């Protein structure tokens, strides 16, 4: 079992490079299943546990997977199964993309229901609604989803909630359906656009990704392609927030500044300086921040995945901040851990009220989920004294070399194997 040990209280200086986007990569890797001709070569793949998990699942289905550095080559023409009944399926959320990909290519899929971070009820009813609208029959037996279709026929789907997963999953299946599919009230996140661009590189005909109406004209087959994954919006946001909270000057490279606008706007409101130049953002801060209110919303609103890291800097901001977590019902498990470090936070349902304190003090804490872990790293870097973070396997699911990147910025952080 590894833990992170942080000796905090130091400003951050220097520059780091952001890796490929987790939530794009975890959809693009399963989407390679849909190529019946030629291999997919995908660059800027983050070597994180969630991606490794998908590599194992694809290998178990017979795909040939080879990763060198951050480039992965996947040959799915040789796939020999549509049953993804492995333990790995329950270790992550994005395993549900196996359903859309297998259904699209083979008209059937048998997969174990997905797992992922414990942040509240995470139904897949909108995914199922889309598959059924395309003509599939969906059965849930115990913890297994069985989907079959004689033929997928293009249709209109109006999503009842804005869902990243449902938008991507139904888009995958519709890509190889007969006729045109219109997805309304679609998610607009950058990774939805990235997956659509990837599918178009494979020969799909998808227009409108990034707006709430996506139009997919089904094609007969998809082929291999070369592709590069977009930079990770949330990893970039995590480093920007850390720089603002610790103080110092940090250049965050290999980003798309447009994707960071909601985080940038809040940091400026708090008194930090954010400069955008080409593919970089620089965050300058003296560590003395003003309280602000946050409401998480689908893109382009403030991302729920940055809510917990943001709360780690609001706890030392001057004044009272209110966080309204509108996406997930229980994404507040980090609060008890922050309180161990001296934070003053009251939680009622999805609302957290934070009274800024002068300083945080190092403590022994647990990463209850991925972004809770990121929040605790930021808090540990801000706090005086030593912070020990356990259960960091959650962090490894979604951040590549996070402690090494913080060390480049001058942080005193190390991984210790117990
Ligand atoms: N929802 C439904 N029915 C559905 C699907 C979703 O009610 O069929 C609800 C959810 O319960 C939630 C809301 O809709 O309240 C949004 O969920 P969404 O489907 O957008 O989330 P997801 O696809 O399960 C992805 C990311 C999450 C990120 C959310 C929101 C992946 C693998 N996961 O999850 O990432 O929080 O979108 O942007 O892409 C993370 O990276 O830490 C993470 C949790």
């Amino acid at each position: 079992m590894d833990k992170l040990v942080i000796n905090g209280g130091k400003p951050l200086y220097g520059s780091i490079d952001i890796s490929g986007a987790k939530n794009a990569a975890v959809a693009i890797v399963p989407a390679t299943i849909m190529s019946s001709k030629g291999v997919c070569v995908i660059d800027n793949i983050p070597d994180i546990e969630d991606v490794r998990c998908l590599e194992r699942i694809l290998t178990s289905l017979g795909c040939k997977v080879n990763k060198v550095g951050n480039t992965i080559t996947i040959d799915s023409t040789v796939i020999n199964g549509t049953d993804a009944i492995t333990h790995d399926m329950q270790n992550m959320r994005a395993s549900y993309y196996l359903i859309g990909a297998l259904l699209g290519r083979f008209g059937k899929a048998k997969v174990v229901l997905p797992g992922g971070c414990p942040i509240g009820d995470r139904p897949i009813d909108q995914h199922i609604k889309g598959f059924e609208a395309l003509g599939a029959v969906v059965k849930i037996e115990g913890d297994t989803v069985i989907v079959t279709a004689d033929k997928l026929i293009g249709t209109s789907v109006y999503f009842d909630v804005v869902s990243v997963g449902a938008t991507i999953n139904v888009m995958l299946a519709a890509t190889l359906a007969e006729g045109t599919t219109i997805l309304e009230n679609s998610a607009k996140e950058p990774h939805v656009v990235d997956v659509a661009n990837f599918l178009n590189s494979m020969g799909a005909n998808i227009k409108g990704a990034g707006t709430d109406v996506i139009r997919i004209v089904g094609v007969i087959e998809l082929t291999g392609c070369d592709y590069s994954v977009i930079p990770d919006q949330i990893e970039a946001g995590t480093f920007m927030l850390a720089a603002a909270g610790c103080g110092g000057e940090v250049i965050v490279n290999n980003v798309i500044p447009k994707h960071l606008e909601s985080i940038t706007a809040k940091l400026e409101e708090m008194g930090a300086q954010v400069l955008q130049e080409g593919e970089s953002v620089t965050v300058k801060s003296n560590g003395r921040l003003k309280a602000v209110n946050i409401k998480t919303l689908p893109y382009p609103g403030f991302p729920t995945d940055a809510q917990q890291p943001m709360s780690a800097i609001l706890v030392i901001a001057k004044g009272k901040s209110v966080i309204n977590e509108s996406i997930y019902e229980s994404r507040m498990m980090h609060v008890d851990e922050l309180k161990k470090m001296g934070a003053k936070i009251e939680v009622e349902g999805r609302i957290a009220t934070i009274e800024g304190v002068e300083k945080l003090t190092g403590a022994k804490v647990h990463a209850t989920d991925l972004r809770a872990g990121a929040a605790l790293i930021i808090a540990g870097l801000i706090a005086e004294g030593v912070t020990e973070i356990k259960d960091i396997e959650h962090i490894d699911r979604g951040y590549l070399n996070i402690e090494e990147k913080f060390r480049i910025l001058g942080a005193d952080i190390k991984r210790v194997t117990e």
Side-chain angles (χ1 to χ4, degrees):
M1 291 293 248
D2 289 354
K3 64 180 177 184
L4 289 175
V5 179
I6 304 171
N7 199 352
K10 299 173 182 62
L12 301 176
Y13 286 97
S15 67
I16 39 110
D17 293 333
I18 294 306
S19 303
K22 161 186 168 275
N23 287 343
V26 296
I28 286 173
V29 169
T32 62
I33 284 181
M34 298 172 73
S35 165
S36 47
K37 217 192 244 175
V39 300
C40 295
V41 181
I42 309 154
D43 192 27
N44 209 26
I45 285 280
D47 186 23
I48 51 177
E49 186 48 34
D50 270 10
V51 171
R52 284 188 223 129
C53 205
L54 285 164
E55 289 167 28
R56 291 193 292 271
I57 296 170
L58 261 62
T59 304
S60 75
L61 290 171
C63 303
K64 287 210 165 66
V65 180
N66 182 29
K67 192 161 64 185
V68 179
N70 58 6
T71 303
I72 195 167
T73 304
I74 303 176
D75 181 356
S76 295
T77 58
V78 290
I79 190 167
N80 54 28
T82 54
D83 291 4
I85 312 287
T86 80
H87 170 66
D88 276 317
M89 293 291 289
Q90 280 169 318
N91 287 341
M92 63 179 311
R93 188 79 196 145
S95 49
Y96 52 35
Y97 293 132
L98 270 294
I99 311 175
L102 288 167
L103 177 64
R105 177 153 169 214
F106 298 106
K108 59 179 180 169
K110 188 171 176 187
V111 308
V112 177
L113 280 167
C117 285
I119 50 184
D121 195 21
R122 299 177 78 180
I124 57 163
D125 57 300
Q126 297 303 304
H127 304 231
I128 293 172
K129 173 177 165 169
F131 296 143
E132 287 178 340
L134 286 166
V137 175
V138 182
K139 279 194 228 152
I140 299 193
E141 288 177 4
D143 62 358
T144 305
V145 190
I146 302 160
V147 187
T148 46
D150 290 337
K151 199 187 223 185
L152 295 174
I153 310 272
T155 185
S156 280
V157 180
Y158 188 98
F159 293 114
D160 302 327
V161 292
V162 179
S163 160
V164 169
T167 302
I168 293 178
N169 225 348
V170 181
M171 183 167 78
L172 291 176
T175 296
L176 288 170
E178 193 179 294
T180 299
T181 299
I182 310 280
L183 305 181
E184 290 187 73
N185 202 23
S186 297
K188 296 180 276 198
E189 268 67 4
H191 31 288
V192 174
V193 180
D194 207 35
V195 179
N197 288 341
F198 172 70
L199 292 168
N200 283 339
S201 306
M202 295 173 83
N205 183 347
I206 303 172
K207 294 202 172 82
T211 76
D212 49 21
V213 183
I214 301 179
R215 187 168 184 272
I216 305 150
V217 180
V219 294
I220 289 174
E221 64 175 8
L222 294 179
T223 61
C225 67
D226 286 358
Y227 197 75
S228 184
V229 175
I230 53 164
D232 196 303
Q233 174 203 25
I234 304 302
E235 187 198 10
T238 302
F239 280 93
M240 291 169 73
L241 293 164
C246 293
E249 183 168 341
V250 171
I251 304 169
V252 185
N253 290 319
N254 184 31
V255 298
I256 299 175
K258 173 111 192 80
H259 296 166
L260 301 168
E261 275 173 357
S262 60
I263 297 173
T264 298
K266 280 295 159 190
L267 285 178
E268 288 176 338
E269 212 179 311
M270 294 175 79
Q273 256 183 289
V274 184
L275 311 168
Q276 300 181 355
E277 205 184 334
E279 293 180 353
S280 303
V281 289
T282 301
V283 179
K284 287 189 202 175
S285 158
N286 58 13
R288 289 192 294 279
L289 301 168
K290 284 180 276 199
V292 291
N293 297 333
I294 301 285
K295 181 171 183 181
T296 63
L297 288 169
Y299 189 81
F302 192 90
T304 171
D305 297 343
Q307 177 266 108
Q308 293 157 297
M310 172 55 112
S311 68
I313 70 169
L314 290 178
V315 296
I316 48 125
K318 199 167 164 44
K320 186 172 100 176
S321 304
V322 178
I323 294 178
N324 180 343
E325 171 52 67
S326 84
I327 307 291
Y328 291 115
E329 59 183 9
S330 59
R331 208 171 200 181
M332 293 287 177
M333 293 214 291
H334 60 302
V335 164
D336 282 342
E337 305 304 301
L338 289 176
K339 281 184 176 173
K340 292 179 190 163
M341 303 175 76
K344 281 197 184 155
I345 313 176
E346 292 302 323
V347 176
E348 228 181 290
R350 293 163 177 245
I351 309 284
T353 307
I354 302 177
E355 205 60 65
V357 293
E358 289 286 313
K359 62 171 182 133
L360 295 178
T361 311
K364 292 188 176 181
V365 290
H366 289 267
T368 50
D369 56 84
L370 167 60
R371 307 299 172 187
L376 294 172
I377 293 179
I378 296 176
L381 294 170
I382 294 172
E384 286 177 10
V386 177
T387 295
E388 275 187 28
I389 308 175
K390 288 198 172 173
D391 299 331
I392 59 169
E393 63 279 3
H394 290 293
I395 304 173
D396 293 336
R397 281 189 35 224
Y399 287 92
L400 176 62
N401 298 337
I402 192 162
E403 73 274 19
E404 280 174 36
K405 289 188 184 180
F406 274 118
R407 268 202 301 273
I408 292 171
L409 301 178
D412 182 349
I413 174 170
K414 61 182 179 214
R415 182 179 288 254
V416 175
T417 302
E418 291 196 308

